[in-house]
Amino acid sequence: MTQAEFEGLVTEALDSIPGDLVRLMSNVVVVVEEMAPDDDPDLLGLYSGIPLTERDGNYAGFLPDQVTIFMEPILGICETREDVVEEVRITVVHEIAHHFGIDDARLEELGYE
């Protein structure tokens, strides 16, 4: 799968998020990186930033939060294109949930491990 095709799947996953939630997202960008960090090569996605639940009246002037989706680790665990589509969707939702302040324990309960 090419990076452009993979990025298209990330876009489709973002488009599947309900509009009401998308409108609540604030100061966040989503990017695709080919490889995960060297210290965690199996990482599928990463949220970096200040979750909405931790922002207060002093939140201003910050760089955008970032959701990073790592292509090679996802492709490495998937056998079919359908598997990739589903894993991208799960990973995008998982990382966006962190933007809303939902932690890994709750995401696991919801099936977004």
Side-chain angles (χ1 to χ4, degrees), residues 29-86:
V29 297
V30 178
V31 298
V32 172
E33 295 285 339
E34 186 175 348
M35 305 298 291
D38 289 338
D39 63 339
D40 197 356
D42 298 324
L43 189 64
L44 305 181
L46 179 66
Y47 169 75
S48 302
I50 301 172
L52 294 176
T53 55
E54 295 179 20
R55 296 180 187 181
D56 60 20
N58 295 322
Y59 181 82
F62 288 92
L63 291 174
D65 292 4
Q66 182 168 308
V67 168
T68 307
I69 307 299
F70 299 108
M71 184 174 92
E72 288 300 326
I74 290 176
L75 295 178
I77 64 168
C78 295
E79 294 183 17
T80 66
R81 179 171 171 57
E82 291 76 23
D83 292 344
V84 175
V85 169
E86 181 63 10

Side-chain angles (χ1 to χ4, degrees), residues 3 5 9 18-19 23 25 33 45 48 53 65 75 98 104 112:
Q3 183 151 348
E5 290 171 317
L9 296 179
R23 283 186 285 282
M25 292 173 61
E33 295 285 339
S48 302
T53 55
D65 292 4
L75 295 178
H98 289 318
D104 284 330
Y112 292 96

